[in-house]
Amino acid sequence: MAKEQQLHVLKALDVAKTQWYHFTAIIIAGMGFFTDAYDLFSISIVTKLLGRIYYTTPNPTRPGSLPINVSAAVNGVAFCGTLAGQLFFGWLGDKMGRKSVYGITLLLMTFCSIASGLSFGSTPKGVMTTLCFFRFWLGFGIGGDYPLSATIMSEYANKKTRGAFIAAVFAMQGVGILTGGIVALIVSAGFESKYHPPSFEEDPARSLTPEADYIWRVVLMFGAIPAAMTYYWRMQMPETARYTALVAKNANKAAEDMSKVLNVEIEGEDDKLQRIVQDERNTFGLFSAQFARQYGLRLLGTTSTWFLLDIAFYSQNLFQSNIFSSIGWLPDASKMSAIREVYKVARAQTLIALCGTVPGYWFTVGLIDIMGRFAIQMMGFFFMTVFMFAIAIPYEHWQQRANRVGFLVMYGLTFFFANFGPNSTTFVVPAEIFPARLRSTCHGISAAAGKAGAIVGAFGFLYASQDKNPARRSQGYPPGIGQKNSLIVLGVINFLGMVFTLLVPEPKGMSLEEASGEATAESDDHDNEFDIPKRFEGTNRSDIGMDLSGS
């Protein structure tokens, strides 16, 4: 943009050297995503245990399992809440400010994590109903974390490493998934060591010890701990300068807040601000024709790619145990006790997360500001398509015992390239390419489209993956198209993700105002951190509490 049009406070943020407050912001926002992922994915570890505890019939001939409607609700209700939360808090973040509502999401997550584990009822229906109720509101809080965390991190970051900083926040999702598996491993191993239950085949009654009911409750409630620990630090963060200046229209307050964060003197520029905010490019609303012309294709690109990605990503994550069972990597349920089954499912999820999921996130962090968002997203969708077809087309080949390791390697690679690819970039880009006054709302809309895809994956894949052979189908489910054909469909969905990625612009190396089109490109090239006045460089501060303090 023309130099005289950019506020000094925004310039200071764009070119500030990477320093301690950046990492503090990553930790504060990232712990929310750690909790998000832990809460969303830990349910898949304990779903089979819930079926055994609450739906085992008297004198059973096979281990109990959740009825089809209950399983769909338990797995999918949190996504419904998340979708609603993304839309609501995304809109609220632009209306009230990012910080004003940032703590509400953590309080919801903390309370509902605990309440989910304490789900009460004297009947299986009662327990499942209260569990679904609290998981909906848990998802509602989680949903708010998406647009708020992404927007806050993008508006704090400098433009050279902004992609890495936003991606690092999102990478905590992988750590949360991994931690969910580790917690379940520790809890189930401890209970198994204490009670030594036999397998269902050996003794159906004793294979399900009454104490197993504590396992799923402990696993779910653990998610409250990181959320509660982060609340204080979130409340210490000042409002972002871009919201204060460009939306709340108070450049002097923005300069004052960021002077404390960067430990430099920044002058307020309310006079210049008035010229900027009165520019016709900075006044139209979300539902205007001008927004449709300028940002319509961008919003279509971010919503469609996130929608398609989440169909595939959440289908794979939520039903890992079904896929592993179908290839024989997990023993038949009758050959394990209820506690042992939790251990085996958790071990499988932990292995996939450790080898494929977590590394993919951090490859994105390291390379996103080198390769760019577009290249990583296109590459990720491409390899997800390739590996999904490589798994699906010769599916019978991978079911043979000698070939199971190869299956697991390629299945893990689909997770790697999901995370070193669109699962990360679909989160990063919407926080960069929309104007400040609509940034949180548009990110919330994009994320909500993703959760709509997750709902399709959670509900649709559950039904679609059922075998036409009743003997190989989960009890109570209608026939579907089978796991092979379901995986082929997911491969096609990944390919469509490549097509819609063409609608997404590349914001690498731009300021947020340039990337969002709020102003024209700068007229000269004197905007790097070596050319700017010394007062904009910033210096490290040792006090973690004061780095992001508004007081």
Side-chain angles (χ1 to χ4, degrees):
M1 85 180 91
K3 267 194 180 300
E4 64 274 8
Q5 285 187 303
Q6 189 175 30
L7 297 173
H8 286 167
V9 64
L10 305 186
K11 182 70 171 178
L13 287 168
D14 278 342
V15 298
K17 290 181 178 179
T18 299
Q19 52 191 283
W20 184 243
Y21 85 88
H22 288 116
F23 297 108
T24 307
I26 290 170
I27 293 169
I28 293 171
M31 287 307 292
F33 266 89
F34 173 96
T35 306
D36 297 348
Y38 181 95
D39 289 332
L40 286 178
F41 292 104
S42 60
I43 192 66
S44 64
I45 298 174
V46 299
T47 298
K48 289 183 178 292
L49 177 62
L50 291 172
R52 288 215 191 197
I53 293 172
Y54 296 105
Y55 292 92
T56 295
T57 59
N59 302 314
T61 57
R62 59 187 299 179
S65 61
L66 292 177
I68 183 171
N69 59 324
V70 176
S71 180
V74 167
N75 281 292
V77 70
F79 295 134
C80 298
T82 303
L83 187 154
Q86 287 164 334
L87 293 173
F88 176 74
F89 284 109
W91 167 79
L92 204 61
D94 283 332
K95 292 299 179 184
M96 295 180 59
R98 291 44 160 144
K99 179 193 174 180
S100 299
V101 292
Y102 204 25
I104 299 174
T105 61
L106 275 189
L107 291 178
L108 265 175
M109 289 155 59
T110 301
F111 173 78
C112 292
S113 292
I114 296 172
S116 295
L118 297 176
S119 294
F120 50 85
S122 57
T123 64
K125 182 178 180 180
V127 175
M128 293 300 109
T129 299
T130 52
L131 175 61
C132 289
F133 174 81
F134 289 123
R135 282 192 63 78
F136 174 87
W137 290 107
L138 173 66
F140 191 74
I142 289 171
D145 231 41
Y146 276 73
L148 294 174
S149 290
T151 301
I152 285 172
M153 196 65 243
S154 71
E155 293 180 347
Y156 265 115
N158 63 59
K159 65 182 182 180
K160 288 188 176 181
T161 56
R162 185 179 61 239
F165 289 160
I166 306 173
V169 170
F170 195 64
M172 292 302 291
Q173 187 179 78
V175 181
I177 295 172
L178 179 62
T179 302
I182 293 173
V183 169
L185 281 172
I186 293 171
V187 174
S188 59
F191 273 78
E192 186 174 42
S193 176
K194 173 71 173 177
Y195 298 104
H196 303 288
S199 69
F200 181 87
E201 281 184 344
E202 294 171 329
D203 190 333
R206 290 182 56 242
S207 72
L208 179 60
T209 62
E211 294 79 10
D213 190 55
Y214 293 113
I215 293 176
W216 70 271
R217 298 179 185 274
V218 171
V219 169
L220 295 186
M221 285 194 289
F222 184 87
I225 297 175
M229 290 173 60
T230 313
Y231 180 78
Y232 171 79
W233 297 110
R234 284 199 176 186
M235 293 301 93
Q236 298 304 302
M237 298 178 75
E239 184 56 83
T240 70
R242 284 183 163 89
Y243 181 86
T244 302
L246 300 178
V247 184
K249 301 180 176 60
N250 190 340
N252 290 336
K253 174 62 174 172
E256 178 185 340
D257 287 343
M258 291 304 104
S259 292
K260 294 174 182 177
V261 170
L262 297 173
N263 196 25
V264 295
E265 289 296 328
I266 303 175
E267 63 185 274
E269 300 172 285
D270 275 344
D271 291 340
K272 182 185 291 187
L273 174 65
Q274 294 307 313
R275 295 195 299 272
I276 294 174
V277 298
Q278 289 172 7
D279 190 308
E280 63 177 9
R281 290 169 298 188
N282 302 324
T283 57
F284 58 83
L286 178 66
F287 299 105
S288 65
Q290 190 169 349
F291 178 90
R293 287 194 300 271
Q294 188 166 342
Y295 297 104
L297 286 179
R298 293 185 177 195
L299 190 58
L300 175 61
T302 58
T303 53
S304 59
T305 53
W306 208 335
F307 173 79
L308 294 166
L309 176 276
D310 273 9
I311 293 177
F313 184 75
Y314 282 91
S315 295
Q316 291 175 254
N317 262 300
L318 286 175
F319 302 104
Q320 285 182 48
S321 59
N322 292 346
I323 293 174
F324 291 148
S325 295
S326 71
I327 65 165
W329 201 56
L330 292 178
D332 187 87
S334 63
K335 300 184 182 299
M336 299 180 285
S337 68
I339 296 176
R340 189 64 179 173
E341 187 171 31
V342 174
Y343 181 88
K344 289 282 191 178
V345 172
R347 188 181 68 173
Q349 177 168 307
T350 302
L351 181 62
I352 290 294
L354 188 63
C355 297
T357 304
V358 173
Y361 283 110
W362 292 102
F363 266 73
T364 300
V365 173
L367 295 173
I368 189 169
D369 288 310
I370 299 173
M371 294 177 61
R373 289 71 160 150
F374 179 86
I376 289 178
Q377 184 162 311
M378 186 66 77
M379 176 196 68
F381 270 128
F382 172 78
F383 282 110
M384 288 172 69
T385 304
V386 169
F387 287 116
M388 194 62 71
F389 283 141
I391 289 171
I393 295 173
Y395 189 69
E396 292 78 9
H397 169 79
W398 299 118
Q399 288 188 300
Q400 299 174 22
R401 180 174 294 274
N403 302 322
R404 288 173 186 168
V405 173
F407 174 91
L408 291 174
V409 169
M410 286 202 293
Y411 189 69
L413 283 171
T414 62
F415 279 104
F416 176 82
F417 283 106
N419 296 306
F420 182 32
N423 193 41
S424 297
T425 55
T426 52
F427 176 80
V428 173
V429 174
E432 300 180 298
I433 63 173
F434 297 104
R437 67 188 184 281
L438 300 171
R439 184 169 293 134
S440 180
T441 301
C442 290
H443 194 284
I445 292 170
S446 303
K451 280 302 166 284
I455 293 169
V456 171
F459 290 100
F461 190 81
L462 181 67
Y463 289 85
S465 62
Q466 298 301 318
D467 203 283
K468 294 180 180 179
N469 182 352
R472 300 170 61 185
R473 195 161 66 231
S474 299
Q475 187 177 6
Y477 286 73
I481 60 176
Q483 295 214 359
K484 174 179 178 175
N485 291 330
S486 296
L487 292 171
I488 290 175
V489 170
L490 294 183
V492 173
I493 288 171
N494 292 329
F495 175 78
L496 290 175
M498 295 174 59
V499 175
F500 282 95
T501 295
L502 297 172
L503 299 177
V504 181
E506 174 58 74
K508 183 185 77 168
M510 299 181 184
S511 71
L512 287 179
E513 288 68 45
E514 292 169 356
S516 64
E518 290 178 275
T520 55
E522 295 203 34
S523 58
D524 54 47
D525 191 32
H526 297 291
D527 64 339
N528 61 69
E529 67 186 28
F530 303 105
D531 295 327
I532 61 165
K534 189 73 173 177
R535 60 199 174 108
F536 289 150
E537 292 186 5
T539 56
N540 292 347
R541 297 184 68 177
S542 59
D543 185 349
I544 185 173
M546 290 298 295
D547 276 346
L548 294 175
S549 173
S551 58

